[in-house]
Amino acid sequence: MKLTQDNSTTIDEKLAIDGGKPVRTEPLPLEFPGVHHMDEEEIEAALRVLKSRSPFRYYGIDLQGEVEAFESEFASFLGVAHAIAVSSGTGALHTALSALGVGPGQEVIVPAYMWVSIVAAVVNLGAIPVLADIDATFCLDPAAVQKSITPRTTGIIAVHMSGAPANITELLKVARERGLFLLEDCAQCAGGSVNGKKVGTFGDMGIFSFQMNKNMTSGEGGAVVTNDARLYDRAFACHDLGYARDDNGRTVFDNLALCLWGRGYRIDELRASILRVQLRKLPRIIAAMHSSKYRIRKALEEFPQLRLRKIVDPQGDTGCFLISTFDTPEVANQVNQALRAEGIVTSSQGLNNVVMTSWGLHVYFNIPSLVNKTSVDEKGSPWRLAENQGSTASYHKGTCPVADSLFERSILLAIPSCLTKRDEEDIVHAFRKVLSRYDIS
């Protein structure tokens, strides 16, 4: 397979990879959706907390109540009963899975396309993650989930990957029919929706991340949401010291059902104040990415050489990533290299416009600790625990063949929230230059 020059190509459209002039020489903006919209509002919010000298959630010299206010505002934004702000997306996963009672002897189904923190949270609780394949949405395939269920299965983690929702209504149906919990990981899809209903509100619980790369950010942070009062109480205890708190923020010890074990994932007032500002900006952050992505998608629809990711609900797509799939790995790699030569790259600290096999710890077979079933203790927990004997999960490449094929044949392009019309035009121009002016043969 190689890119072959079409006879109609003009000299000035010679591919940059072949010595022609690149479409652009200035790197595209780095990913960081929420960061691009930070301004004096976040600074003023942070200063308000610093001036109060009260950065801790429960007490201080002049407590501002930022965490409690953010939780209320975030729950209202999603249309959910309860929200708990935590210190990271990973902390949110640990908190939610703890609330759901995950532990040794259990299996939890996870997608082949995810982030390493998802399997880490399952493993750290002593349970076994079981991979299920994805489909053209690049999220869990409900049919593959059905085939992955065993007598040990207790739940499903549905991950809304790369900014677009999973087929969550079908996954919920599977969970309900099989008596399993459904946890939604919305780390990469804050503000996304399906038929007007926000992601994170379909399943038993939802988690969010507010790390640097996310749609809204405080640098690091997360949230756990649910409509279930019991799960909320358990999650609140688990994210804190292991106990409930009264209205004055004091620990309560007289409810043994809520005498659990805490993980110390409390968030501070400083980050909560920033998140309150970012939450107000989230709709326009998403609108900017959505507009850029769908302008580019529309232009790419004219090319039969590629297929675009299936989107369950285009209106509910947050727009932060564009995925294009080609017929073979060879074509995907050569198109990707040609696009990169045209300047469709970010600065060296960023990673953008990559064939998905190079997308690091998002790809199951790129996670060494998972593939090799490593442990932090000498007993080989959780893989060798007596309770987990009989679980035969495999994580080597080949476990999820649909995902393997899609990863090898697909290019992922981040859509920053600050793309200019010129940036969008350059991306389209580069694709058009590579795909239209040259035959792929």
Side-chain angles (χ1 to χ4, degrees), residues 308-368:
L308 295 166
R309 174 189 188 181
K310 179 181 177 181
I311 305 296
V312 172
D313 180 0
Q315 292 300 314
D317 179 0
T318 68
C320 49
F321 289 94
L322 184 144
I323 300 175
S324 55
T325 303
F326 297 82
D327 287 339
T328 68
E330 293 79 10
V331 170
N333 275 282
Q334 292 194 20
V335 169
N336 180 244
Q337 290 304 309
L339 289 171
R340 294 183 65 82
E342 297 297 340
I344 308 305
V345 294
T346 60
S347 62
S348 58
Q349 71 160 298
L351 183 64
N352 195 4
N353 186 20
V354 295
V355 174
M356 292 184 68
T357 48
S358 298
W359 197 222
L361 300 177
H362 293 94
V363 174
Y364 77 92
F365 56 73
N366 284 345
I367 306 174

Side-chain angles (χ1 to χ4, degrees), residues 385-440:
L385 292 178
E387 296 93 330
N388 291 328
Q389 296 309 299
S391 288
T392 57
S394 172
Y395 310 108
H396 290 277
K397 186 176 181 180
T399 302
C400 296
V402 175
D404 295 349
S405 178
L406 286 171
F407 294 150
E408 292 174 345
R409 296 183 296 112
S410 300
I411 296 172
L412 181 140
L413 181 71
I415 305 295
S417 61
C418 62
L419 287 185
T420 65
K421 294 298 182 186
R422 177 60 185 272
D423 293 332
E424 295 168 7
E425 289 166 1
D426 285 347
I427 293 169
V428 171
H429 182 185
F431 268 100
R432 188 167 283 140
K433 184 177 177 183
V434 172
L435 298 177
S436 288
R437 298 291 187 173
Y438 286 72
D439 291 328
I440 298 175

Side-chain angles (χ1 to χ4, degrees), residues 27-40:
L28 288 165
L30 291 163
E31 183 182 344
F32 311 150
V35 166
H36 291 305
H37 289 252
M38 282 186 169
D39 55 27
E40 290 298 319

Side-chain angles (χ1 to χ4, degrees), residues 106-144:
Q106 300 179 15
E107 295 177 352
V108 179
I109 294 173
V110 301
Y113 183 39
M114 57 179 162
W115 177 241
V116 60
S117 298
I118 294 162
V119 286
V122 176
V123 167
N124 280 325
L125 287 169
I128 299 295
V130 174
L131 292 169
D133 221 328
I134 61 175
D135 56 24
T137 66
F138 282 78
C139 298
L140 272 177
D141 177 359

